Amino acid sequence: MSVGRRLLRVTSLAAALGVWQLLTSLDVNLWLRFEHFPTVGEVAAAFADRVGTAPYRQDLGHSLRRIVVGFLLAAVAGVAVGTAVARSRWAADLLGPLVEVVRPVPAIALVPVAILLLPTNEQGIVFITFTAAFFPVVVSTRHAVRALTPVWEEAVLTMGGGRLRVLFSVVLPGALPGIFGGLSVGVGVSWICVISAEMISGEYGVGYRTWQDYTIVDYPGVFVGMATIGALGWLTSTAVELLGRRATSWLPRPAARGAADAPRPASRGAGIRAGTAEPAAAVRTAVPRKEPVP
């Protein structure tokens, strides 16, 4: 990213904070009421007082552990179920209806179910986090697998590859962009639901602490919690995006502005040989073409 773009992003954030400080310091009360809002300075002072304390670190640890455990379980299960539904008629008939019926139910609405089924609140919050991320991953994986071109699979089968080789050499690598799209959405939804679950039934965590600050009318503390949630969500989403770029580095990237006419290198992932990634010509030559009849 260029220095100009970085500067523009920092300027945008600084301008938003400046508008916030101006509206709250002047106690603006038009249609929106800012007289009860804490100023940026008050929130910064509350954050400075809290950031180094043991309760703050404890809350961060609990929330991050719940997100990591629930999200990793959802990633593994979601990719497996999405791939099975897309590739198997039996799985589509058995699991597809269940996914479509349960998917519209908000994950936070499953809090009573988690309380009834699971022995501890901690397990219930992890279950809510898992459910929130599971369905975006399933749907994205299913669509990504179904969108793959059949010629890649036919090339592997022609060269003697079996079903497992097709799965790990064609299906999963080809569906990676769609899978990581679902993971990126899933981690954001997971943060929404884990914070809500902590507010309802948690004992520790950023959501629990934010709700406690609200009940004792500590509005700067509430905004400290909101800022912490936003920062954690941004960091985890960025981590998933960077991991996705690394895992799909073989894909061609859009050319930068001004370099559109430059020759673009051939993609190493355009064609798939059994167990390896080969140039596109390998796929084209793997399937014999019919000669035109004179």
Side-chain angles (χ1 to χ4, degrees):
M1 185 184 299
S2 64
V3 177
R5 292 187 63 190
R6 294 180 185 273
L7 182 60
L8 180 60
R9 295 189 177 194
V10 173
T11 303
S12 173
L13 181 59
L17 293 176
V19 172
W20 176 6
Q21 177 68 26
L22 180 64
L23 293 174
T24 52
S25 60
L26 296 178
D27 291 336
V28 174
N29 187 1
L30 297 176
W31 181 62
L32 298 175
R33 302 174 297 173
F34 290 94
E35 69 268 21
H36 298 302
F37 260 51
T39 64
V40 176
E42 293 172 344
V43 174
F47 182 79
D49 293 338
R50 184 173 297 187
V51 68
T53 61
Y56 185 80
R57 293 193 298 269
Q58 186 181 43
D59 291 334
L60 285 181
H62 279 80
S63 294
L64 285 173
R65 184 177 67 248
R66 292 159 179 167
I67 279 289
V68 170
V69 174
F71 179 71
L72 289 180
L73 291 175
V76 174
V79 172
V81 172
T83 303
V85 170
R87 299 279 300 173
S88 171
R89 184 177 301 175
W90 284 98
D93 293 338
L94 290 175
L95 301 178
L98 294 176
V99 170
E100 294 303 321
V101 169
V102 181
R103 182 166 65 94
V105 179
I108 196 60
L110 297 177
V111 169
V113 176
I115 293 174
L116 293 174
L117 287 178
L118 300 170
T120 65
N121 287 340
E122 186 71 18
Q123 295 174 357
I125 294 174
V126 171
F127 171 75
I128 296 300
T129 307
F130 163 83
T131 306
F134 175 74
F135 291 105
V137 177
V138 169
V139 174
S140 297
T141 302
R142 182 184 64 188
H143 288 303
V145 171
R146 286 178 177 174
L148 293 176
T149 175
V151 69
W152 295 354
E153 180 176 350
E154 293 171 1
V156 175
L157 294 176
T158 300
M159 291 182 284
R163 290 185 177 274
L164 287 179
R165 183 57 60 86
V166 169
L167 177 65
F168 290 104
S169 298
V170 176
V171 176
L172 292 180
L176 275 180
I179 291 174
F180 274 99
L183 292 175
S184 182
V185 174
V187 73
V189 179
S190 293
W191 273 112
I192 296 173
C193 292
V194 74
I195 296 300
S196 302
E198 288 175 349
M199 289 181 175
I200 295 174
S201 61
E203 297 179 0
Y204 299 100
V206 180
Y208 170 80
R209 192 67 55 189
T210 303
W211 184 253
Q212 291 300 309
D213 290 332
Y214 172 74
T215 57
I216 62 175
V217 199
D218 182 8
Y219 293 132
V222 172
F223 279 85
V224 169
M226 293 170 60
T228 303
I229 295 166
L232 292 174
W234 174 72
L235 288 175
T236 51
S237 297
T238 301
V240 171
E241 183 178 353
L242 292 177
L243 181 61
R245 290 182 180 180
R246 178 67 61 88
T248 59
S249 59
W250 48 271
L251 286 173
R253 303 297 179 187
R257 188 181 296 271
D261 297 332
R264 199 180 277 181
S267 170
R268 293 186 292 111
I272 305 296
R273 190 166 58 88
T276 59
E278 295 292 339
V283 174
R284 289 196 296 268
T285 57
V287 181
R289 297 181 178 178
K290 295 182 179 180
E291 297 296 333
V293 179

